[in-house]
Amino acid sequence: MMSLSIKWPLGTMSFLLSSLLILLSLSLPSWGQSSETTSPKASDGTPFPWNKMRLPEHIIPGHYDLMIHANLTTLTFKGTTAIEITASQPTSAIILHSNQLQISKATLQKGAGKRPSEEPLRVLEYPPHEQIALLAPEPLVVGLPYTIVVEYAGNLSENFHGFYKSTYRTKEGEVRILASTQFEPVAARMAFPCFDEPAFKASFLIKIRREPRHLAISNMPQVKSVTVAEGLIEDHFDVTVKMSTYLVAFIISDFKSVSKMTESGVKVSVYAVPDKINQANYALDAAVTLLEFYEDYFSIPYPLPKQDLAAIPDFQSGAMENWGLTTYRESSLLFDAEKSSASHKLGITLTVSHELAHQWFGNLVTMEWWNDLWLNEGFAKFMEFVSVSVTHPELKVEDYFFGKCFDAMEVDALNSSHPVSTPVENPAQIREMFDGVSYEKGACILNMLRDYLGAEAFKSGIAHYLQKFSYKNTKNEDLWNSMASICPTDGTERMDGFCSRGQHSSSSSHWRQEGLDVKTMMNTWTLQKGFPLITVTVRGRNVHMRQEHYLKGADTTETGYLWHVPLTFITSKSNSAHKFLLKTKTDVLILPEEVEWIKFNVGMNGYYIVHYEDDGWDSLTGLLQGTHTAISSNDRASLINNAFQLVSNGKLPIEKALDLTLYLKHETEIMPMFQGMNELIPMYKLMEKREMNEVETQFKAFLIRLLRDLIDKQTWTDEGSVSQRMLRSQLLLLACVRKYQPCVQRAEGYFRDWKEANGNLRLPSDVTLAVFAVGAQTPEGWDFLYKKYQSSLSSTEKEQIEFALCTTQNEEKLQWLLDQSFKGDIIKTQEFPGILSAVGRNPVGYPMAWQFLRENWNKLVEKFDLGSPSIAYMVMGTTNQFSTRARLEEVKGFFSSLKENGSQLRCVQQTIETIEENIRWMDKNFDKIRLWLQNEKLELL
């Protein structure tokens, strides 16, 4: 699944607004194990025979026959589920999941054959655990085949999970209804009674009843259609491969589709509402190319005959990897060649590559339980980078990928972070796993491992893992064992489960000498939270290294965590990367000769930050100000990031970090520019919420002076590489929002022409965001944008307008936006988390966003689910730029009052910790920034 907070917004508005203007940090909770009631009572008051959240393991499902009949007029559905089971120990209670289903009948069939005997089962329900018990008159016989048949009914869900209702408006304004599914992580049980845990894999035979005007699609191709009554058709789909319940999917709609075949004969189709099917071609071509790439990379053919990609009008996250029928938010799949921006194209490509990677990582091989969700999500995130850099080299995904690691570190540097692999039990805890640690950190540590093992050895290890565990479930260690059984192809040999070299190995490969214990090394990255800070002290030719757990805040206590850190470095004398595996608290390496500077973490491949003691930072700042291109753009970005991280924990004065950013006057590359903006913009965002007007104004002026040369060089066109175009979009937006007059005047001219042409003039898509943001500052401009929003068929354009509407300084309009998007008529409710967070970043709107969250908390939890990434996104988006004690008390007071409806959420702990850090940071650094801004050095800008 592509998580919303993580994905939001990958359209234009977008892409970096998450970390840039919207500065999002993501997160999740760690409440204790739920207390298991000793003797739970079923809803009819009788004792319920099972008291644990997890299902018993002694009933094993093998196959489901599922018939679903949805009525899109009454918004209800009926179903019959027949599940073939066997028992591994005698029991008369069959425990499975069911949530909000009305069960009318349950029977047990014994044995196989034409006429099995049938007996009724008594049904008990235990809603707190979303479980039912089917009680047989006598215990099941071990090893004998049984079938349980359950007849039930339910309402189509009004939120975004289970079997839910979605609507769209045609060009003519008619509202049409469809029904779609979103089962991950725990909502298959809302559509049919089932053993809804990832390790209970089974095959599924699905039949869907529908009206003739509709079309039904599911995981497998349709094999036949029969008319069961007048105006009622039953579609039969082929039997699926063995898979987890959360991957089952079916959609009943009037979608249209376009299709192509891959070289190996897989039929790929994109489905969308009829008015938008002309926007499906880009994703279709990308899906064909990516599917072919993965078949080759993993050395395993895609096992199904088809792969459908469906754009759903209402969708909470970014996308979902249901096997053979991946589903997407429209903005994550549909590409309008006229209006979509460069970042939108990148976003769609990455999302499709993510979901298709899951067809192997996640679907073919699945984590045993949600504690190892990162085996699905970290891998799919990482494979976005691996695949797209090969299939779409023009998108230059490597310019953008490593910023994800900085995003993950923002959260992982908090004490409230969690290990990549972490125990979870109840549904809210499970939903909380879909966060920046499972996705981004997971991807970053895999990238570090690939850099360490070498790309070919890594690829062999993955192929070995996927082949060995196909159609099975795995734990963390299964992956490391597969990796360790593969040796690099550079003269190493297998010895006792390690890869080792002969004595002649070169010093540049220090980390291979002692043999390769992948499992021990990677356990240090997945079983403990956080990441290391490496402090480097150069004494002549000796380089002393020391590692410690990096935590934000200066007064943090030493945790004693140690990592196996695959260090890489370059020096003023050698620009090829040297390698050193640091396994202890301290170590020393000896250089062949003395150097002027040394830079660790080459290309940002490692998940750690570095502090250079003595004059180490001064020499690197000097290097950037002299010849910044002596090191790569990724290396420059990591220096900017690390310097500000070190300000947070008191190792580096804020003045030195700010001095380092002055070189950005000469920078032109996307990664260091974005990183600079990511560090500097939050400083004035904190000031905006503290009414520090004078310094805030000076700081904003400094930022524009710093970037002015590059802003002035931007053409108002769609020329250049994807990276250049994304940089242009953000620079012009920043300049216009900061009221840099040359930018504002040009944007006003464009907006005037666009408005006079009734919105039919084609604007360069890279500058549209800036033009709309300027246009939205007048009441007439804002109203015109909203009018265009209602009729637009382009997801990019709608996202751009949405963002622009949120930048108004008119409080009434901001309040109206919150009310409208929450209601969901014209602006869909799926857009609400983004709108709430954008208003929460608005200097005028932030108090009302925070107020809105508090007043509507219960309804938000009902709609978006406790623990979901959407809830985390809204909590962080409305509160994590506060930096006063009064606001901190407000936040603490509100969330503690929620009790079990939110006080335990990890995002709440994270936002409280972030606000405390903001207060400390501002108390310590504000006066220093004020004095630094008066420095004569800045006169030269």
Side-chain angles (χ1 to χ4, degrees):
M1 183 153 59
M2 196 83 162
S3 218
L4 170 75
S5 345
I6 293 151
K7 179 252 165 205
W8 183 287
L10 265 181
T12 11
M13 116 183 199
S14 143
F15 171 51
L16 254 164
L17 290 180
S18 47
S19 45
L20 187 60
L21 296 174
I22 299 193
L23 267 145
L24 118 91
S25 34
L26 266 181
S27 44
L28 301 201
S30 52
W31 33 44
Q33 297 296 300
S34 77
S35 52
E36 289 167 353
T37 26
T38 38
S39 51
K41 292 273 189 289
S43 43
D44 65 358
T46 58
F48 190 78
W50 186 250
N51 65 355
K52 295 183 176 65
M53 190 70 81
R54 296 281 301 270
L55 297 179
E57 290 172 14
H58 53 258
I59 300 276
I60 299 107
H63 174 78
Y64 291 74
D65 256 4
L66 184 58
M67 192 285 292
I68 299 272
H69 176 190
N71 185 326
L72 299 192
T73 310
T74 60
L75 305 180
T76 57
F77 65 96
K78 292 186 294 209
T80 306
T81 302
I83 314 173
E84 294 173 16
I85 58 167
T86 48
S88 60
Q89 66 185 58
T91 177
S92 50
I94 301 160
I95 314 294
L96 62 160
H97 288 109
S98 173
N99 186 12
Q100 297 172 40
L101 300 175
Q102 294 84 48
I103 292 169
S104 52
K105 184 181 175 189
T107 56
L108 180 70
Q109 299 175 354
K110 256 193 241 170
K114 282 278 187 326
R115 306 199 52 182
S117 65
E118 196 171 272
E119 40 196 44
L121 294 167
R122 184 175 167 209
V123 182
L124 296 180
E125 300 186 20
Y126 187 56
H129 286 178
E130 301 175 355
Q131 291 170 354
I132 55 171
L134 305 178
L135 305 183
E138 59 203 44
L140 274 57
V141 179
V142 173
L144 216 62
Y146 289 92
T147 301
I148 48 177
V149 182
V150 184
E151 293 175 19
Y152 62 95
N155 295 321
L156 287 178
S157 167
E158 288 288 334
N159 39 35
F160 303 99
H161 49 270
F163 189 24
Y164 71 93
K165 176 190 92 166
S166 174
T167 61
Y168 71 93
R169 224 174 263 271
T170 63
K171 275 185 196 152
E172 296 71 41
E174 179 199 347
V175 174
R176 294 195 179 165
I177 295 174
L178 59 131
S180 183
T181 58
Q182 167 64 44
F183 292 160
E184 188 180 32
V186 289
R189 62 192 71 169
M190 294 175 70
F192 58 101
C194 56
F195 295 82
D196 200 8
E197 293 181 7
F200 287 115
K201 288 191 170 184
S203 56
F204 296 82
L205 192 151
I206 294 169
K207 305 185 191 84
I208 304 285
R209 292 187 175 180
R210 58 170 174 90
E211 293 177 53
R213 66 195 171 105
H214 287 132
L215 158 93
I217 50 177
S218 183
N219 303 81
M220 297 296 284
Q222 183 186 308
V223 285
K224 67 172 179 178
S225 272
V226 293
T227 303
V228 285
E230 195 181 335
L232 189 62
I233 292 171
E234 184 175 277
D235 292 327
H236 294 220
F237 297 92
D238 217 338
V239 183
T240 70
V241 293
K242 198 173 166 193
M243 65 186 201
S244 304
T245 48
Y246 76 84
L247 295 169
V248 172
F250 36 87
I251 301 170
I252 302 168
S253 69
D254 64 345
F255 286 174
K256 295 276 182 275
S257 65
V258 289
S259 307
K260 277 191 176 173
M261 300 293 279
T262 68
E263 283 176 8
S264 58
V266 177
K267 184 182 182 183
V268 179
S269 308
V270 176
Y271 285 84
V273 303
D275 289 343
K276 296 182 184 176
I277 194 64
N278 59 340
Q279 299 177 37
N281 292 322
Y282 177 75
L284 179 63
D285 290 340
V288 168
T289 308
L290 285 158
L291 207 60
E292 289 170 350
F293 169 84
Y294 285 135
E295 287 196 312
D296 175 59
Y297 187 89
F298 297 137
S299 307
I300 297 174
Y302 174 72
L304 308 187
K306 61 96 174 171
Q307 169 64 240
D308 296 336
L309 300 84
I312 312 297
D314 298 274
F315 204 84
Q316 183 171 344
S317 64
M320 176 62 209
E321 67 267 21
N322 318 300
W323 214 344
L325 172 51
T326 51
T327 48
Y328 302 77
R329 187 177 267 242
E330 288 184 331
S331 59
S332 301
L333 191 66
L334 303 179
F335 183 78
D336 179 343
E338 287 281 299
K339 292 177 177 172
S340 292
S341 60
S343 62
H344 197 194
K345 178 180 273 192
L346 175 67
I348 289 170
T349 316
L350 292 173
T351 305
V352 170
S353 77
H354 182 103
E355 303 316 325
L356 295 185
H358 271 311
Q359 307 300 297
W360 286 264
F361 267 101
N363 300 9
L364 183 66
V365 179
T366 313
M367 75 263 140
E368 194 165 291
W369 180 243
W370 301 104
N371 61 313
D372 280 330
L373 174 69
W374 86 275
L375 288 174
N376 281 16
E377 296 300 351
F379 250 108
K381 197 81 193 148
F382 176 58
M383 290 310 300
E384 293 175 24
F385 168 59
V386 175
S387 62
V388 175
S389 58
V390 174
T391 59
H392 297 74
E394 75 285 357
L395 294 179
K396 289 220 158 99
V397 65
E398 61 280 2
D399 283 357
Y400 148 86
F401 180 79
F402 294 101
K404 300 272 181 207
C405 304
F406 295 148
D407 295 343
M409 284 173 157
E410 271 305 301
V411 186
D412 208 17
L414 298 173
N415 201 31
S416 48
S417 185
H418 64 94
V420 168
S421 182
T422 230
V424 289
E425 192 184 47
N426 65 42
Q429 290 169 342
I430 291 168
R431 284 189 284 267
E432 287 193 299
M433 286 300 282
F434 291 79
D435 74 338
V437 173
S438 295
Y439 285 70
E440 272 77 3
K441 181 178 180 176
C444 296
I445 63 176
L446 286 168
N447 179 64
M448 180 168 67
L449 179 62
R450 184 171 79 145
D451 188 50
Y452 173 69
L453 292 175
E456 281 308 308
F458 179 84
K459 182 174 160 180
S460 305
I462 286 182
H464 177 71
Y465 168 78
L466 289 171
Q467 282 155 2
K468 182 174 179 183
F469 296 105
S470 289
Y471 305 104
K472 297 191 177 82
N473 294 79
T474 56
K475 297 194 200 55
N476 219 1
E477 63 209 48
D478 295 319
L479 177 64
W480 309 139
N481 292 338
S482 293
M483 288 290 180
S485 65
I486 303 290
C487 278
T489 51
D490 53 4
T492 50
E493 23 188 304
R494 278 306 299 281
M495 286 176 64
D496 308 324
F498 290 105
C499 300
S500 67
R501 278 195 177 208
Q503 291 308 301
H504 57 273
S505 78
S506 67
S507 64
S508 71
S509 293
H510 166 92
W511 63 28
R512 298 261 169 75
Q513 287 171 20
E514 304 161 44
L516 246 168
D517 186 355
V518 175
K519 184 173 168 183
T520 307
M521 170 179 150
M522 293 311 290
N523 279 346
T524 69
W525 296 96
T526 58
L527 302 182
Q528 54 192 15
K529 67 183 176 189
F531 55 89
L533 162 62
I534 311 295
T535 299
V536 173
T537 318
V538 180
R539 296 271 181 273
R541 288 171 48 208
N542 290 6
V543 180
H544 297 260
M545 298 159 294
R546 181 177 82 248
Q547 64 160 302
E548 64 194 278
H549 182 185
Y550 174 85
L551 285 165
K552 278 195 190 298
D555 50 349
T556 48
T557 49
E558 179 61 55
T559 57
Y561 289 180
L562 281 180
W563 285 265
H564 287 198
V565 192
L567 298 172
T568 53
F569 63 94
I570 48 175
T571 68
S572 55
K573 298 283 171 67
S574 165
N575 58 7
S576 64
H578 298 267
K579 301 176 173 182
F580 188 93
L581 184 62
L582 178 65
K583 304 205 295 202
T584 48
K585 175 94 179 143
T586 58
D587 208 337
V588 183
L589 65 85
I590 301 165
L591 299 171
E593 54 188 322
E594 290 195 20
V595 296
E596 288 160 43
W597 54 264
I598 186 166
K599 161 73 176 69
F600 276 80
N601 199 0
V602 182
M604 273 165 51
N605 278 315
Y607 189 73
Y608 57 91
I609 62 173
V610 186
H611 175 40
Y612 303 91
E613 284 206 312
D614 302 333
D615 58 357
W617 275 107
D618 293 341
S619 46
L620 287 165
T621 301
L623 173 71
L624 289 178
Q625 283 166 353
T627 48
H628 66 271
T629 51
I631 56 175
S632 73
S633 63
N634 275 356
D635 282 315
R636 304 195 295 271
S638 73
L639 285 177
I640 295 168
N641 169 274
N642 288 193
F644 283 94
Q645 294 274 22
L646 293 164
V647 171
S648 286
N649 77 344
K651 300 262 186 200
L652 198 67
I654 181 74
E655 298 89 345
K656 286 209 169 182
L658 289 168
D659 285 346
L660 181 129
T661 64
L662 294 177
Y663 102 90
L664 286 170
K665 189 171 174 59
H666 307 290
E667 183 58 84
T668 56
E669 299 283 333
I670 189 170
M671 273 303 295
M673 285 304 300
F674 275 170
Q675 199 53 44
M677 292 194 267
N678 278 343
E679 301 298 350
L680 297 171
I681 290 172
M683 291 191 203
Y684 74 66
K685 297 306 284 181
L686 290 180
M687 295 176 201
E688 282 179 347
K689 297 185 171 63
R690 279 175 72 143
E691 281 139 26
M692 298 170 152
N693 300 12
E694 189 191 351
V695 179
E696 176 198 321
T697 307
Q698 287 174 357
F699 194 86
K700 288 173 175 173
F702 149 67
L703 183 56
I704 293 300
R705 283 210 312 279
L706 180 65
L707 305 178
R708 183 174 54 204
D709 291 353
L710 192 57
I711 291 167
D712 290 344
K713 282 194 191 109
Q714 300 304 313
T715 58
W716 287 58
T717 63
D718 287 338
E719 292 164 16
S721 69
V722 169
S723 297
Q724 288 166 333
R725 292 179 59 188
M726 280 165 39
L727 182 57
R728 171 187 303 135
S729 183
Q730 297 303 323
L731 280 171
L732 293 179
L733 175 65
L734 176 68
C736 280
V737 169
R738 291 280 60 81
K739 301 192 170 46
Y740 177 55
Q741 279 314 298
C743 181
V744 171
Q745 285 158 10
R746 196 143 180 201
E748 282 173 344
Y750 269 107
F751 189 76
R752 207 166 32 246
D753 295 346
W754 182 73
K755 187 163 173 274
E756 279 166 13
N758 197 25
N760 295 320
L761 175 78
R762 185 176 174 188
L763 294 170
S765 59
D766 299 340
V767 306
T768 306
L769 202 49
V771 171
F772 287 176
V774 168
Q777 299 315 306
T778 67
E780 314 77 57
W782 197 94
D783 292 341
F784 182 74
L785 280 164
Y786 180 66
K787 190 181 113 198
K788 285 286 118 191
Y789 180 88
Q790 296 176 62
S791 59
S792 175
L793 288 172
S794 156
S795 304
T796 299
E797 185 173 63
K798 290 186 93 143
E799 281 184 349
Q800 289 167 329
I801 293 175
E802 237 169 68
F803 175 78
L805 295 176
C806 292
T807 63
T808 177
Q809 302 301 289
N810 179 321
E811 292 183 25
E812 280 176 22
K813 288 195 180 301
L814 290 172
Q815 187 62 49
W816 186 86
L817 260 185
L818 290 172
D819 294 335
Q820 285 301 311
S821 55
F822 188 53
K823 206 163 77 183
D825 291 344
I826 305 296
I827 305 176
K828 285 189 165 286
T829 306
Q830 66 175 15
E831 307 302 331
F832 178 78
I835 287 173
L836 182 73
S837 298
V839 175
R841 298 302 186 227
N842 182 318
V844 173
Y846 76 89
M848 61 182 81
W850 169 224
Q851 182 69 15
F852 198 96
L853 180 86
R854 287 177 292 175
E855 287 175 358
N856 296 284
W857 178 261
N858 289 345
K859 287 185 192 151
L860 287 170
V861 165
E862 214 173 283
K863 189 77 183 173
F864 293 102
D865 265 346
L866 197 63
S868 70
S870 303
I871 291 284
Y873 185 72
M874 291 186 275
V875 168
M876 299 300 267
T878 50
T879 59
N880 75 354
Q881 287 180 348
F882 290 157
S883 64
T884 63
R885 285 174 179 79
R887 288 287 187 198
L888 174 64
E889 290 315 311
E890 252 180 50
V891 171
K892 281 181 165 174
F894 170 69
F895 286 110
S896 66
S897 74
L898 296 174
K899 306 286 192 294
E900 68 283 353
N901 203 27
S903 65
Q904 304 275 14
L905 291 173
R906 189 181 293 125
C907 61
V908 170
Q909 297 163 26
Q910 285 172 330
T911 205
I912 288 170
E913 210 181 321
T914 302
I915 297 167
E916 288 169 345
E917 165 63 11
N918 291 345
I919 292 170
R920 207 187 54 74
W921 197 95
M922 288 295 271
D923 287 351
K924 185 178 174 192
N925 295 311
F926 179 72
D927 283 331
K928 295 178 182 175
I929 295 170
R930 187 169 53 78
L931 289 168
W932 185 85
L933 285 168
Q934 292 158 11
N935 189 320
E936 69 285 354
K937 273 188 289 194
L938 303 190
E939 301 303 316
L940 304 174
L941 281 181

